[in-house]
Amino acid sequence: MAIEWTLRPEDVARIRFAFSPMWELVASLRTLRDPARQVVHLPWIRAVRPRLPALDLVELLALVPPSGYLADFLTPPPDTPLPDFAAELDRVRRTPPERAAEEAALLAGTERFRADPVAGVARVADALEAYWESCFAEYWPRVYGLLERDVLRRSRELATGGRGSCSRGSTRPSCGTANS
């Protein structure tokens, strides 16, 4: 199924881009579990896989299943164009426990988290921090550079009518259409 977004000029004028280290960190958990999702990251996967056994990611992985819904509180929308990881992690730590429990209830394997969401949020935030330090922080400058180039390319496409060099009806994500 394809979804096509139609935006008015005033909609496009309000678009803002931000690079969220937390979003990329959380998305990387899915890439680790299914490397075929992002084969460009295979060198990173090979480098960090030996580090994973030292981390306790079980509860975090329950909140970020391989596909579908993931607990929204893990990826708060950036409140600045250039958020840093520490600030985003602080926002995760300040998640209201009721909200975290509601979101976790939508996912299998989250019983421990839901039994004590205050402690669950703290454990998951600690797991995110440990995973960042062990597997992601040293790679963030490269990821950031890739994101910056991608946003620049997509911004240019938006500025030229949203299709760039794409033909009508294309299903390439860079052509304004996403496949579900």
Side-chain angles (χ1 to χ4, degrees), residues 9-174:
E10 57 269 22
D11 298 325
V12 175
R14 288 194 310 264
I15 291 175
R16 300 293 180 266
F17 294 98
F19 305 114
S20 169
M22 184 63 74
W23 173 256
E24 296 303 325
L25 181 71
V26 169
S28 76
L29 292 166
R30 287 184 165 174
T31 301
L32 279 174
R33 293 163 99 177
D34 181 9
R37 290 172 48 95
Q38 299 285 333
V39 294
V40 70
H41 296 304
L42 286 176
W44 169 76
I45 292 169
R46 284 188 202 102
V48 302
R49 276 224 168 122
R51 304 173 191 179
L52 296 175
L55 302 173
D56 182 5
L57 300 177
V58 174
E59 201 164 20
L60 178 57
L61 291 173
L63 295 169
V64 184
S67 63
Y69 175 77
L70 62 90
D72 288 328
F73 78 90
L74 297 174
T75 55
D79 54 4
T80 175
L82 298 170
D84 71 352
F85 178 73
E88 289 190 313
L89 182 62
D90 183 57
R91 290 179 66 199
V92 170
R93 288 188 189 284
R94 290 184 285 119
T95 301
E98 313 77 43
R99 175 181 170 207
E102 285 175 21
E103 292 176 11
L106 301 172
L107 298 159
T110 61
E111 294 79 12
R112 178 178 180 222
F113 184 95
R114 287 182 283 130
D116 184 354
V118 172
V121 168
R123 285 190 306 270
V124 167
D126 289 347
L128 285 165
E129 185 172 25
Y131 175 54
W132 170 267
E133 292 299 327
S134 179
C135 299
F136 209 79
E138 70 186 274
Y139 298 95
W140 176 242
R142 178 181 175 271
V143 171
Y144 183 88
L146 291 170
L147 292 169
E148 203 168 39
R149 285 188 294 280
D150 187 51
V151 166
L152 180 60
R153 180 181 57 80
R154 291 172 190 269
S155 297
R156 285 184 184 145
E157 286 180 4
L158 278 173
T160 60
R163 294 222 181 254
S165 61
C166 302
S167 61
R168 185 126 182 93
S170 176
T171 57
R172 289 189 345 216
S174 63

